[in-house]
Amino acid sequence: MVTTTLRDSTIDEYNRKDLSGSITYCLYDVVLSSIISLIFMFKTETRQRKENLRGKQKLMATSKLQALWNHPAGPKTIHFWAPTFKWGISIANIADFQKPPENISYLQQIAVTCTGMIWCRCSTIITPKNWNLFSVNVAMAATGIYQLTRKIKYDYVSEAEAAVEIEG
C-alpha cells in the first residue's frame, strides 16, 4: 500500500504540476491571443482610417476635378480652350525677346498690347468669370508693352543719342 500511496501521491503530484502547467499555458495562450487580436484590431482600424482618409482625399480631388470639368468656363467649353491656345501668342512674344529690336513690328505689338488690355477688362465683366482668359491677356499686354518699349528705345533713344554725338 505504501507503494500505491507513493504511486498515487506521485501521480497526484504529477497531475497537479500538469494541471498548473496547463493553466499557465492556457492563461499564456489567452493573453497572447488577446494581444494578437488587439494588434490585429488596431492594424485593421488604422488601415480603415487610412483608407477612409484616402477615400476622402480622392473624393475631394474628384469633386474639385469634377467642379472644374463642369464649370461654365471648364474644359468642355470654348471658354477654356480659346484662352489656353491664346497662350501661344504670349509664348511667341516671349521668344521674340531675343529678336533684334529693328525686326519688331509696331503694328503687331500695338495689336497684342491692345488686345491684352481690352480683354483683361472684358474677362472680369463677362459671366462666367474666366480667370484663364484674364491671365493670358495680362501676359499679352505685358509682353506687348515690353516689346514696344524695346522698339521705341531702339528707334528714338538711340537716334537721339546719335544726333547728340553728331552735334557734339
Side-chain angles (χ1 to χ4, degrees):
M1 229 143 149
V2 173
T3 55
T4 310
T5 311
L6 280 174
R7 185 171 175 244
D8 288 341
S9 68
T10 308
I11 290 172
D12 286 341
E13 191 177 307
Y14 176 77
N15 285 340
R16 210 174 307 130
K17 284 181 182 176
D18 187 42
L19 185 63
S20 68
S22 59
I23 289 174
T24 305
Y25 285 121
C26 184
L27 286 175
Y28 176 74
D29 287 343
V30 168
V31 170
L32 186 62
S33 63
S34 298
I35 291 171
I36 290 172
S37 64
L38 285 173
I39 291 171
F40 180 74
M41 284 174 33
F42 178 74
K43 283 185 175 181
T44 305
E45 188 176 312
T46 305
R47 189 178 315 124
Q48 287 174 347
R49 283 183 187 165
K50 286 180 181 177
E51 288 172 2
N52 288 341
L53 183 60
R54 285 187 199 121
K56 287 178 184 176
Q57 289 172 343
K58 286 180 183 177
L59 183 63
M60 284 175 45
T62 304
S63 65
K64 287 183 180 182
L65 289 174
Q66 196 170 23
L68 173 69
W69 182 257
N70 293 325
H71 191 270
K76 294 191 293 186
T77 66
I78 191 67
H79 304 295
F80 175 82
W81 292 107
T84 301
F85 284 106
K86 199 174 183 182
W87 276 103
I89 298 170
S90 295
I91 293 168
N93 223 8
I94 290 169
D96 286 346
F97 288 173
Q98 304 302 318
K99 194 179 194 181
E102 63 266 10
N103 294 341
I104 296 173
S105 166
Y106 277 116
L107 291 178
Q108 178 184 356
Q109 295 308 318
I110 289 171
V112 168
T113 303
C114 290
T115 301
M117 287 182 188
I118 292 168
W119 281 100
C120 276
R121 175 72 177 131
C122 291
S123 67
T124 57
I125 295 172
I126 60 173
T127 303
K129 291 205 183 316
N130 193 338
W131 297 109
N132 188 16
L133 182 63
F134 178 77
S135 61
V136 73
N137 284 302
V138 166
M140 284 183 69
T143 58
I145 289 170
Y146 178 73
Q147 292 287 54
L148 282 172
T149 305
R150 284 182 62 216
K151 181 69 172 173
I152 290 169
K153 280 184 182 177
Y154 175 78
D155 287 346
Y156 296 105
V157 174
S158 59
E159 285 180 9
E161 289 174 359
V164 170
E165 288 178 10
I166 292 172
E167 290 177 6

